[in-house]
Amino acid sequence: MDSLKTVFGIDVSSRKSNVCIMVNGQKVNDYAISNDMVGFNQLLDDLKQVTNPQIIFEATGVYSRRLQAFLDMHDLRYVMMNPLEAKRKTKDDLHQNKTDKLDAMYLAKMQSEHPQRLAYVQSEEYQELMANNRIYEQASHDLITNKNRLHKAIQLTFPEIEHLLANPRGKNYWSIVLKFPHPNIVLETKEADIIDFLKSLSGIGEKRANDLAQRLIRLAKLACPAVKKSSAHIRALKAIKHILSAEETCQTALKEMAKLAPKRDLEILKSIPGIAENTALRIISELGDIRRFNNPNQLNAFVGVDPQVYESGNLTAHLSISKRGTAIGRKVLYLAINQIQSAKKAGNPCHIADYYEKRKRSSETASHKKAAIASIHKLLRTIFALITNDQLYSYDIAKHNQRFLS
């Protein structure tokens, strides 16, 4: 068996995994294992009987992470397929009766007939960077959800309080709303007690506390709430604690990313107009070590912004982007394009912003999204060139350098 091509197709689910073993394209065995040390060691025993086994499985989030960690621990290389890409590559087989056994077999068959590239195992630092960014992403999502929910509740209880501070979004604002969710609570509280509370908040001194207290009382007198202070909507505002917790989680994740990120790569990304430290940290966390890619096209494919190509007979058509990479990575890069555009409007030119505007002008029907996706290609090429050449961004060089403009 050692001289033969042996493929292990593994379909991973929450509690068990189905394994299909193919030798030279022919199935020789299939079985199920538990997703624990007992099951993984059973798989390891079979893998040890083969020279250079090829292992393929889909990236199924938290479920496949345990298998991935086990294989990494034993220095076993593998192919980790994006589920969307795996579905596209196996769609021609038209297996309508979807089962875990069939999924394992089709993965093994695909690797036997059309070998996929082995996954790149990044260092522990980069894995921790990505883990922190995923925590940041989830906390940020929770933050937006809770803020939208609380905004609606405040419109019923005390909408005027949104005019108390110039920036009604920070920790101080939410602490004040939590303390005074209804105008009647303000009016029933002694002014001295209001001032003492405001002074206890970060960055608020004696004079500002007095001014804010007077303003808060005036707003409370103007208010005409839709509900009483005993309403369930008041209790719903206790969810502010979740906002404060999510904000703290985001900040902690960013601090951890700042400790782990390569300082030079961070400096290079921040030199691109519009990309501040938070965005730069998140880009590094999602892209990992840029130097592992041989060219920008590989980087595009990793992110999933490379175009799909459909070929049938003499027809070749370019479809939408493949989306086979990381969705969070695409989201961060899309955000970066918006920030680069804003930076140009503020007087910080960038050839990527120029390219975006050129794409928008070239077609009256071009949407922001299409132009932004095209600009992400340009951004990835720029990031690849800057980091692999260890250079800071220069608008003048970028305008005349064909590596950037191609």
Side-chain angles (χ1 to χ4, degrees), residues 59 63 114 165 240 253 260 283 369 378 392 398:
Y63 299 141
H114 308 287
L165 299 176
I240 287 172
L260 293 165
I283 290 174
K369 186 175 180 179
K378 186 72 65 177
L392 296 178

Side-chain angles (χ1 to χ4, degrees), residues 32-43:
I33 60 171
S34 53
N35 289 338
D36 52 26
M37 197 58 72
V38 174
F40 293 156
N41 279 327
Q42 179 186 347
L43 173 65

Side-chain angles (χ1 to χ4, degrees), residues 181-199:
H182 196 277
N184 287 358
I185 297 176
V186 176
L187 299 176
E188 292 168 2
T189 305
K190 293 181 181 178
E191 183 177 332
D193 291 338
I194 296 175
I195 293 172
D196 287 341
F197 168 75
L198 293 171
K199 284 165 57 179

